[in-house]
Amino acid sequence: MSNIASVQEIYTAFASGDVPTILSHLSDDVIWEYDKQDAGIPWLVPRHGRNEVPKFFQALGALDLRRFQPKTLLESGSIVVALNDIVFVVRATGKEVVEEDEVHIWHFDSDGQVTKFCHKTDTHEHWVALRGS
């Protein structure tokens, strides 16, 4: 399976809430949100290891995901970059976040497993929506 096909399968599984399929694509020691510091946004917390990644999906329970549309997948070597349109509402505050062309970066090893992943988002917008400011 190509790396792009793996990302497509991950996104299909995400759309149907199939977390086990997503986890099956991750290496045991995956680094999730490899470029982030903990800014108090539960769904953007750095996590290490496949066993920690389900906490990301649990954190998404605070959101009402209105739109998740992968638009473009680009591959170079062991990296896949995805551009996605995403709209969600933070349930506790009712604040909406609209991300046009949110970037996801997927790093793969030679066995086709994800070793690193991150969202490139407007972290401040997420923080403001979470705080209800």
Side-chain angles (χ1 to χ4, degrees), residues 76-98:
S76 180
S78 63
I79 298 172
V80 174
V81 176
L83 300 178
N84 304 288
D85 287 347
I86 298 171
V87 178
F88 65 84
V89 173
V90 177
R91 290 185 174 147
T93 64
K95 299 293 183 180
E96 183 179 70
V97 173
V98 177

Side-chain angles (χ1 to χ4, degrees), residues 14-131:
F14 179 77
S16 66
D18 183 359
V19 175
T21 293
I22 296 168
L23 296 177
S24 75
H25 286 279
L26 308 182
S27 69
D28 288 338
D29 58 350
V30 66
I31 302 170
W32 194 267
E33 300 300 354
Y34 65 84
D35 70 329
K36 299 235 183 323
Q37 300 293 321
D38 186 347
I41 304 166
W43 53 91
L44 295 177
V45 172
R47 303 181 198 289
H48 295 90
R50 184 186 306 145
N51 293 335
E52 289 290 310
V53 175
K55 293 177 184 175
F56 163 75
F57 298 103
Q58 292 166 356
L60 293 181
L63 309 178
D64 178 12
L65 187 61
R66 303 264 170 97
R67 183 174 190 198
F68 179 81
Q69 180 181 5
K71 298 188 316 185
T72 303
L73 297 173
L74 308 166
E75 183 174 13
S76 180
S78 63
I79 298 172
V80 174
V81 176
L83 300 178
N84 304 288
D85 287 347
I86 298 171
V87 178
F88 65 84
V89 173
V90 177
R91 290 185 174 147
T93 64
K95 299 293 183 180
E96 183 179 70
V97 173
V98 177
E99 293 272 2
E100 183 177 351
D101 292 333
E102 179 179 287
V103 177
H104 296 175
I105 303 174
W106 301 88
H107 292 258
F108 289 84
D109 64 16
S110 60
D111 294 325
Q113 296 286 291
V114 176
T115 58
K116 294 190 329 182
F117 169 78
C118 72
H119 297 89
K120 296 293 186 179
T121 64
D122 184 342
T123 305
H124 183 261
E125 184 179 6
H126 288 227
W127 188 85
V128 167
L130 180 62
R131 299 298 179 273

